[in-house]
Amino acid sequence: MPGDDLKEILREPGEILREGGLVAFPTETVYGLGGDAENAESSRKIYAAKGRPSDNPLIVHIADFSQMEAIAQELAPQVRILADAFWPGPLTMIVRKNDRIPLETTGGLDTVAVRMPSHPVARQLILSSGCMIAAPSANSSGRPSPTRAEHVADDLSGKIDAIIDGGPVEIGLESTIVDLSEGIPTVLRPGYINLRMLEEVLGQDHVRMDPGLMEENVSARPKAPGMRYKHYAPRGDLKIVEGAADDVVETINRLSAEAIATGSKVGVIASAETRSRYLYGDIVEIGPRSDEEEIARHLFGVLRHFDDQGIEIIYSEAFDTPQMGTAIMNRLIKAAAHQLILAARRVTRVIFV
Ligand code: TXA
Ligand code: MG
C-alpha cells in the first residue's frame, strides 16, 4: 500500500487514540491493543478490555529514538547500541522512567518497556496519532496472542473502538524483552532476537537470560510480571512429548488412542515431516522443521484453532529449533503449564546365538 494511502486510512484511528480511545493494530510480532501511553485513563481502559491484572505493565511503542530519551532517565550505553542494531524491530528495552509516562501505564513500576516497531502500519499510526502508543498484545488476558485481525475480533469485539486489519503478522511471537534498567542486560522474555544475536552486539558475558525463566529453577521468579502469569493458554490440556522422532510419533499415537477411547476430543500438533504418521484426532501441521519461522508464525493460531474445535487434550511435538527454539519452547511450555512427557525409547535388543 503506498504511504499516502496508509496515511489517509490511519488518520481516523490516529484521532481515536488522541482522544483517549483504543485501537488494535498489526505489528511485525503480534497484534497490539493501543492507547495513548501518556493518558492514564487510556491505560486503565486497556486493562479493562483485556481483563488484565493492572500490575502487569504495558509496552510503549515509539517511532523515533528521541521519544525514548523523552521518557527515560539516564540511559545505559547499551541502549543506544541495541537500538542501532535492532530498531525498528522486535526488541523491547526496559529502562528507568521519568514522570512523563504515568504509573497506570507501567503497572506501578518506575521502569518502562519501550519498543520501536518496524511494521509500516504501526509506525504510521504512531506518527498519525502524535502519541506514543501503549500496547499489550491484543488478546483477552490468558488467551494466545493474536497473529491475525480475526483473533483480535474474537477476543475484543465490542470492547474497543477499532481494529486495523493488516493481514497475518510476520513473526508470530511477541518481542524479545531486555532489561537495561540495572546491572547486566538481561533477557526477560525470549523472542525472534535470540541471546546469540544480542551477544554479537554487546559481547559475550555482557548479556544474560533471566534465571527466573528457566523452568527447572523453581526458586527464582521471572522479573517481567507478565511472565509469571499462566499465559498463552489454550482451553484444552496441552502436553508436550519430547524424544527421538519415531518415539514421539509412537507415543502420541498411543496416548491419543487412549484418550479418544475414554471419550475425549484430541488434537495433535505435528510437523510437516511427521504429519502423515499420526493416526488419531484433529492433526494440525504447524510447519516444516526446516522452516522454524513458519512454525513460530503458526503457533498461536494453531492453539486458537483447537479452542474453536472444543479440543480437550492436545499433544504437541517439541520444537527446539536453532534460532527461535528458546522462544517457541518458552511459549509452548507455558501453554502446557510445564507438562512434558519423555517419549519412551524403543530399545532394540541384541540377541546372541
Ligand atoms: O511484541 C510485543 O512486544 C507485543 C507487540 C504488540 O508490541 N506486545 C506485547 O505486550 O507482547 P504484552 O503486554 O503482551 O507483554 C509485555 C510484557 C509483559 O510480560 C510485561 O510484564 C513486560 O512486558 N513488561 C512491561 N513493562 C515492564 C517493566 N517495566 N518491567 C518488567 N517487565 C515489563
Ligand atoms: Mg501479552
Side-chain angles (χ1 to χ4, degrees):
M1 187 183 308
D4 279 351
D5 290 356
L6 194 54
K7 243 184 183 163
E8 186 52 38
I9 293 168
L10 296 180
R11 193 193 308 274
E12 194 197 338
E15 210 171 292
I16 295 174
L17 287 170
R18 242 186 342 269
E19 287 168 2
L22 303 187
V23 176
F25 61 97
T27 82
E28 66 276 24
T29 57
V30 299
Y31 274 74
L33 174 57
D36 176 359
E38 293 180 83
N39 182 338
E41 188 51 34
S42 296
S43 292
R44 273 194 286 270
K45 283 191 206 165
I46 291 176
Y47 288 106
K50 278 180 65 86
R52 173 169 174 143
S54 61
D55 63 349
N56 189 5
L58 311 177
I59 294 176
V60 176
H61 294 70
I62 61 172
D64 192 276
F65 194 79
S66 62
Q67 292 174 310
M68 168 68 122
E69 292 167 324
I71 62 176
Q73 294 195 25
E74 202 187 337
L75 293 170
Q78 295 98 325
V79 172
R80 187 85 229 192
I81 295 172
L82 290 178
D84 286 344
F86 300 113
W87 275 2
L91 178 74
T92 295
M93 292 193 250
I94 312 275
V95 297
R96 277 150 41 91
K97 78 176 199 70
N98 60 27
D99 287 340
R100 209 162 142 187
I101 299 295
L103 290 169
E104 281 78 1
T105 301
T106 63
L109 298 177
D110 57 6
T111 53
V112 60
V114 187
R115 177 160 108 78
M116 189 190 293
S118 62
H119 195 294
V121 172
R123 274 185 77 75
Q124 185 57 51
L125 187 62
I126 298 167
L127 298 173
S128 296
S129 64
C131 302
M132 291 175 269
I133 302 181
S137 50
N139 51 298
S140 295
S141 191
R143 294 215 67 203
S145 289
T147 52
R148 330 175 67 102
E150 293 82 355
H151 300 160
V152 181
D154 285 345
D155 285 12
L156 300 176
S157 261
K159 298 180 175 170
I160 63 179
D161 298 296
I163 300 172
I164 301 168
D165 186 346
V169 300
E170 191 186 324
I171 295 178
L173 299 180
E174 308 87 341
S175 61
T176 305
I177 301 180
V178 180
D179 184 2
L180 293 130
S181 65
E182 56 176 7
I184 173 167
T186 303
V187 177
L188 305 189
R189 180 174 71 183
Y192 176 85
I193 295 170
N194 62 28
L195 188 64
R196 192 186 39 73
M197 291 156 78
L198 294 166
E199 281 173 346
E200 265 171 29
V201 177
L202 296 177
Q204 233 170 8
D205 302 329
H206 293 281
V207 52
R208 58 165 198 158
M209 297 294 278
D210 178 2
L213 274 183
M214 308 302 165
E215 23 122 15
E216 51 278 2
N217 191 338
V218 286
S219 58
R221 263 159 67 87
K223 190 165 179 203
M227 301 302 276
R228 291 177 208 143
Y229 297 107
K230 186 172 191 289
H231 213 184
Y232 317 115
R235 300 199 175 102
D237 189 22
L238 170 65
K239 296 183 164 81
I240 303 165
V241 183
E242 289 182 310
D246 288 348
D247 303 334
V248 168
V249 169
E250 209 175 273
T251 301
I252 290 182
N253 276 334
R254 178 172 49 78
L255 293 172
S256 304
E258 285 169 10
I260 289 168
T262 63
S264 295
K265 284 186 83 172
V266 171
V268 175
I269 303 181
S271 52
E273 291 83 351
T274 52
R275 164 74 184 82
S276 64
R277 299 173 59 197
Y278 288 108
L279 304 172
Y280 312 107
D282 181 355
I283 303 154
V284 176
E285 179 185 318
I286 193 168
R289 285 185 177 273
S290 55
D291 185 353
E292 54 180 304
E293 296 195 0
E294 186 171 332
I295 292 172
R297 198 154 53 232
H298 289 159
L299 177 60
F300 290 142
V302 168
L303 296 178
R304 280 180 180 261
H305 161 82
F306 288 133
D307 283 353
D308 295 343
Q309 300 301 312
I311 298 293
E312 295 155 316
I313 300 180
I314 306 162
Y315 295 108
S316 178
E317 297 180 3
F319 297 97
D320 256 324
T321 54
Q323 311 295 322
M324 293 177 78
T326 308
I328 294 170
M329 287 309 288
N330 168 266
R331 307 309 192 275
L332 204 53
I333 285 170
K334 279 160 68 76
H338 294 270
Q339 298 185 90
L340 293 163
I341 297 170
L342 192 60
R345 170 83 38 92
R346 280 198 296 191
V347 181
T348 305
R349 287 191 301 152
V350 179
I351 301 167
F352 293 98
V353 290

